[in-house]
Amino acid sequence: MTIHELILKNRSYRRFYQDVKIDLNTLKDLVELSRLSASGANIQPLKYILSSEPEKNGQIFKNLAWAAYLKNWPGPEDGERPAAYIIVLGDKRLKESFGYDPGIAVQSMLLGAVEKGLGGCIIGSISRDSLRKDLNIPDQLEILLVIALGKPKETVVIETIGSNGVIKYWRDDKGVHHVPKRSIEELIAG
Amino acid sequence: MTIHELILKNRSYRRFYQDVKIDLNTLKDLVELSRLSASGANIQPLKYILSSEPEKNGQIFKNLAWAAYLKNWPGPEDGERPAAYIIVLGDKRLKESFGYDPGIAVQSMLLGAVEKGLGGCIIGSISRDSLRKDLNIPDQLEILLVIALGKPKETVVIETIGSNGVIKYWRDDKGVHHVPKRSIEELIAG
């Protein structure tokens, strides 16, 4: 796959074939992609918690909020939940803030997931204190974001933003998820 | 190329074959990769200034600082400078802070550059006020970072961090650039 095809296929997926398991080695392959990616001043302050077991997955799932713009959808139901998670943490012993490192890292990992026939979603809306307690995460590791992973069970389509400028995604009556994107002309400032 | 090969090849390059030009359409292809990438709450607040002409390149170059750990190296000399730049900006009319979007965007663009036989470096050490004046960048666009691009003219090698824990990169007497990376065991916290 070209990088363009890979990025096109790398949509934010929120419903999965939950019974298609992802093993720990697959998650480690993804962390390896992050390990080899750029880090500001090469400090490499990110750490990762991996989860591919139903019990740990459940502990993570209950601390996440899904798809803020889909008001009537509380998140994936049992059977369509992620088969695995990678929690991205910032090690405060190494750095106070983590700059562009987490964005770079998650993009590497998600593109790796897509290449493996998987897909995922970056989740920033997390009950952090509760997740910290549930998984016994030490205080020096700041919880930055969670990547939910699985074999995608939904279709996601890119749309062009209309003249109303609305950027909220929506789901149609066939369950297809539509994401409006700004035109390239709007993005180029000079 | 697999994503692993692409990421391995995507090192931070700081010396280039300056005479190998990069045209504007190539830069637009890279912005397209960013356009199709994830954005927090889908707000898509990033904007881009593209430069592939010697004069504009010069105006950008003089506002950048290079490779903080190479104390005796002031940056690439004439002939080895970037052939193009993408300035990544945050549109403050759309959002106050830009979260993980810039990291995601630059990783997409750099992987695209590598696939095209190019390479680059993310530069955060920028004389922002001076660059804003030189390029007439409006106040509502926050200057986040600059991607320097070109056909790489240096070899970059990944090393494993030694027992001394030193993460500073170094250049050997043959001009090869060495970058120590933490082991995957150190990155996995649970």
Side-chain angles (χ1 to χ4, degrees), chain A residues 11 36 41 43-44 48 182 189, chain B residues 11 36 43 48 69 182 189:
Chain A
R11 301 297 93 215
L36 298 171
I43 290 174
Q44 308 163 65
Y48 305 89
R182 300 186 192 282
Chain B
R11 301 297 92 215
L36 297 171
I43 290 174
Y48 305 90
Y69 296 142
R182 301 185 192 280

Side-chain angles (χ1 to χ4, degrees), chain B residues 17-33:
Chain B
Y17 294 97
Q18 190 172 338
D19 56 348
V20 180
K21 304 288 182 204
I22 298 176
D23 63 20
L24 271 184
N25 281 331
T26 300
L27 300 180
K28 280 182 191 165
D29 286 351
L30 301 182
V31 172
E32 174 69 3
L33 297 179

Side-chain angles (χ1 to χ4, degrees), chain A residues 16 36-37 43 51 62 64 101 103 124 153 165 167 169 176 179 189:
Chain A
F16 305 94
L36 298 171
S37 297
I43 290 174
S51 176
K62 76 183 178 66
L64 305 177
D101 284 23
K153 200 186 171 182
I167 47 87
Y169 45 78
V176 174
V179 180

Side-chain angles (χ1 to χ4, degrees), chain A residues 5-188:
Chain A
E5 290 166 330
L6 210 53
I7 286 175
L8 256 185
K9 213 170 167 184
N10 179 31
R11 301 297 93 215
S12 294
Y13 298 105
R14 296 179 178 88
R15 290 180 293 171
F16 305 94
Y17 294 96
Q18 189 172 339
D19 55 348
V20 180
K21 303 288 181 204
I22 298 177
D23 63 22
L24 271 185
N25 281 331
T26 300
L27 300 180
K28 280 183 190 165
D29 286 351
L30 302 182
V31 172
E32 174 69 3
L33 297 179
S34 162
R35 188 181 83 84
L36 298 171
S37 297
S39 167
N42 199 39
I43 290 174
Q44 308 163 65
L46 302 183
K47 299 278 154 77
Y48 305 89
I49 290 175
L50 314 180
S51 176
S52 61
E53 293 298 326
E55 195 187 330
K56 197 171 178 183
N57 283 352
Q59 287 176 309
I60 297 170
F61 177 80
K62 76 183 178 66
N63 289 302
L64 305 177
W66 293 79
Y69 295 143
L70 304 182
K71 295 293 178 201
N72 299 317
W73 188 67
E77 59 187 29
D78 200 22
E80 297 189 343
R81 292 182 182 160
Y85 297 91
I86 297 176
I87 306 176
V88 182
L89 308 144
D91 190 333
K92 291 191 281 188
R93 292 167 299 190
L94 296 171
K95 223 174 174 183
E96 274 181 29
S97 68
F98 305 97
Y100 302 121
D101 284 23
I104 293 169
V106 297
Q107 186 66 344
S108 290
M109 294 190 285
L110 281 170
L111 292 175
V114 170
E115 192 182 59
K116 289 173 185 288
L118 303 170
C121 188
I122 305 165
I123 299 176
S125 187
I126 306 162
S127 300
R128 288 180 167 76
D129 292 345
S130 166
L131 180 63
R132 182 179 298 285
K133 268 185 210 159
D134 289 339
L135 295 191
N136 235 324
I137 300 173
D139 285 341
Q140 69 266 22
L141 298 179
E142 187 177 330
I143 299 169
L144 301 174
L145 46 84
V146 171
I147 306 178
L149 291 164
K151 184 173 158 58
K153 200 186 171 182
E154 63 179 354
T155 304
V156 180
V157 176
I158 293 175
E159 306 286 351
T160 305
I161 290 185
S163 51
N164 56 9
V166 171
I167 47 87
K168 290 184 185 179
Y169 45 78
W170 74 91
R171 198 176 282 169
D172 69 22
D173 51 12
K174 285 174 183 138
V176 174
H177 189 86
H178 299 260
V179 180
K181 288 288 190 187
R182 300 186 192 282
S183 70
I184 192 155
E185 290 75 23
E186 191 179 342
L187 302 189
I188 294 177

